[in-house]
Amino acid sequence: MNKVIEADFFPRESELEFSSSGSTPNAFGVDRKRRILIVDNDRDTTHLVKILLEKTGRFSVLEENDLILLDIVMPETDGGEVAAQIQADPELRRTPVIFLTALVTETETKAGLRIQGHPFLAKPINIPELINGIEENLAAHATF
């Protein structure tokens, strides 16, 4: 049975436009989209966030990654365990992680608190805030 996803929270086109391009030039001077991996047990949420992020024209949501959006509560392995595995992997440890969770409030998100040293966003996800969080974390990790 197919689920119907309510679309009344989708951002308008004008809300998706930001002043910075969000892409980075590669060795040939050509802009490339930033790659993001989303990890969540809810396929509808993952697919929706993928569509909305790719709609900006600045991100490509693939299995390769520059940044990981990670749900905390998942049935098999929780996001905290996955984050610990990422941190333990020498090839991934520098990859920024943003937790997505329904376990916190919007106020806690805005307070700058962190979970296991990683920023988080409250669900339901506010796409402009998600995009800002992605851009801030990519910029902060670009200095490494």
Side-chain angles (χ1 to χ4, degrees):
M1 182 167 139
N2 291 335
K3 286 186 179 180
V4 175
I5 299 173
E6 295 295 325
D8 59 356
F9 66 90
F10 281 25
R12 293 178 181 83
E13 286 293 325
S14 62
E15 292 175 337
L16 292 174
E17 296 175 16
F18 294 88
S19 59
S20 63
S21 69
S23 59
T24 41
N26 64 18
F28 302 104
V30 177
D31 282 349
R32 71 171 177 89
K33 294 179 183 176
R34 301 306 301 256
R35 298 166 301 167
I36 298 172
L37 171 65
I38 302 173
V39 180
D40 193 322
N41 63 305
D42 181 348
R43 287 185 179 186
D44 290 338
T45 298
T46 302
H47 187 66
L48 178 62
V49 172
K50 173 186 176 8
I51 290 169
L52 293 172
L53 288 174
E54 288 183 342
K55 190 174 182 178
T56 69
R58 296 181 298 167
F59 305 105
S60 179
V61 183
L62 305 169
E63 293 187 61
E64 300 175 48
N65 59 72
D66 286 319
L67 180 137
I68 299 171
L69 297 176
L70 182 58
D71 189 22
I72 291 180
V73 178
M74 297 186 289
E76 300 288 323
T77 304
D78 70 36
E81 293 173 26
V82 174
Q85 292 171 1
I86 291 167
Q87 186 63 36
D89 186 317
E91 292 183 29
L92 294 176
R93 78 170 39 131
R94 289 184 149 166
T95 305
V97 172
I98 298 175
F99 282 118
L100 305 176
T101 182
L103 301 175
V104 298
T105 65
E106 190 69 27
T107 303
E108 291 170 318
T109 298
K110 292 182 184 208
L113 301 174
R114 294 181 170 262
I115 300 173
Q116 291 181 316
H118 302 286
F120 59 87
L121 294 172
K123 289 183 178 181
I125 299 167
N126 175 307
I127 294 300
E129 286 181 13
L130 175 61
I131 292 168
N132 287 337
I134 289 169
E135 290 179 346
E136 287 172 10
N137 280 280
L138 288 174
H141 283 80
T143 60
F144 287 110

